[in-house]
Amino acid sequence: MTSDGPIGIGLDVLGRDELDSLVTRGWFLRYCYAPEEIEQAQCLEGGRRLEYLAGRFAAKEAVLKALGKGLFQGIAPRNICIRRAADGSPHVELRAAAADAASQQSVRVSITHKDSVVAAVALLSQPEQQRPINDGRRSEHT
């Protein structure tokens, strides 16, 4: 891959009901969600709470895949915090081992919900300021 393109991409799809019983277990919430995410979920009721948690879970799985990691491969999902940016879009904050694995790259996610299905995609790329400037001239390679 060239230095101005994506470094990693991840996709995750799940049914909201896949988490029904898990989100009632304290250990699961503490392992998978950052304290801020748990606090936000507690402000939501019923189906919206499950939708929120499922969306965050899918986004975390997508980020792990973009980083080339699996769910139990050294990065706790709680170290991938998905917050809401001022414009309403999801914003990824990497902490601890997740930040180390990203090694100065930026991560963007998109989350979508349709009926009982949740999907998320994550893109790992170089931060804008580190990308080479393409002035339209063709480079010659030998």
Side-chain angles (χ1 to χ4, degrees), residues 54-76:
R56 294 312 188 263
F57 187 81
K60 292 164 184 281
E61 284 267 30
V63 170
L64 286 169
K65 290 172 184 176
L67 292 170
K69 300 287 185 180
L71 187 56
F72 300 106
Q73 293 182 336
I75 299 174

Side-chain angles (χ1 to χ4, degrees), residues 34-115:
E36 305 93 311
E37 294 169 319
I38 295 171
E39 184 178 320
Q40 179 65 39
Q42 290 171 341
C43 296
L44 304 171
E45 295 183 16
R48 179 61 188 118
R49 179 176 184 267
L50 186 55
E51 181 180 67
Y52 172 86
L53 291 171
R56 294 312 188 263
F57 187 81
K60 292 164 184 281
E61 284 267 30
V63 170
L64 286 169
K65 290 172 184 176
L67 292 170
K69 300 287 185 180
L71 187 56
F72 300 106
Q73 293 182 336
I75 299 174
R78 71 176 169 270
N79 290 322
I80 302 167
C81 183
I82 312 296
R83 301 184 127 197
R84 178 174 268 177
D87 65 1
S89 65
H91 171 76
V92 179
E93 182 182 320
L94 301 177
R95 301 171 179 168
D100 293 342
S103 181
Q104 304 291 324
Q105 283 90 28
S106 63
V107 181
R108 295 188 51 109
V109 297
S110 179
I111 304 170
T112 189
H113 305 264
K114 182 166 181 154
D115 299 324

